[in-house]
Amino acid sequence: MALSLTGSLAAMGHSIAGDEIIKNSLANFAFENYEIAAYKSLITIAEHGGFPGLAPALKSNLEEEIAMAKWLDDNLHSVTMKFASLKEAGERAKI
Ligand SMILES: [Fe+2]
């Protein structure tokens, strides 16, 4: 929940920026990688701390975070190029 709140606060802070979509993309990329590290740590604790039954669910969540981080990585170039082309055309990349 704390991680989700952090992401929401970052998005609110970026909403006043002209390049909100870029700032949010960067923050999301960092956030997903933070979550990957957190799940890896939790899996280690589960496996070595006497909670092996938790490991499968944590590993499932880890796979979701890795998939999301990959999606963000795969799409950062196109999002950046779309933002730049809109900016160049004098348009805004906001809803
Ligand atoms: Fe995530």
Side-chain angles (χ1 to χ4, degrees):
M1 183 171 5
L3 293 176
S4 178
L5 178 62
T6 301
S8 296
L9 290 174
M12 283 177 23
H14 297 159
S15 67
I16 58 172
D19 60 347
E20 172 187 10
I21 189 68
I22 298 299
K23 284 185 168 64
N24 282 343
S25 295
L26 301 178
N28 288 339
F29 188 77
F31 189 64
E32 293 302 330
N33 280 282
Y34 179 91
E35 289 179 315
I36 288 168
Y39 276 114
K40 287 182 176 180
S41 180
L42 287 170
I43 289 166
T44 299
I45 295 296
E47 290 177 339
H48 298 279
F51 307 100
L54 298 177
L58 292 169
K59 288 178 180 176
S60 177
N61 288 352
L62 173 61
E63 293 305 315
E64 290 179 14
E65 302 303 341
I66 290 171
M68 190 63 203
K70 182 181 182 331
W71 187 91
L72 290 166
D73 191 28
D74 291 346
N75 287 279
L76 184 58
H77 176 82
S78 63
V79 168
T80 302
M81 293 303 293
K82 179 72 174 178
F83 170 80
S85 68
L86 288 170
K87 183 82 172 174
E88 188 174 44
E91 297 180 30
R92 294 172 43 145
K94 290 187 170 216
I95 298 174

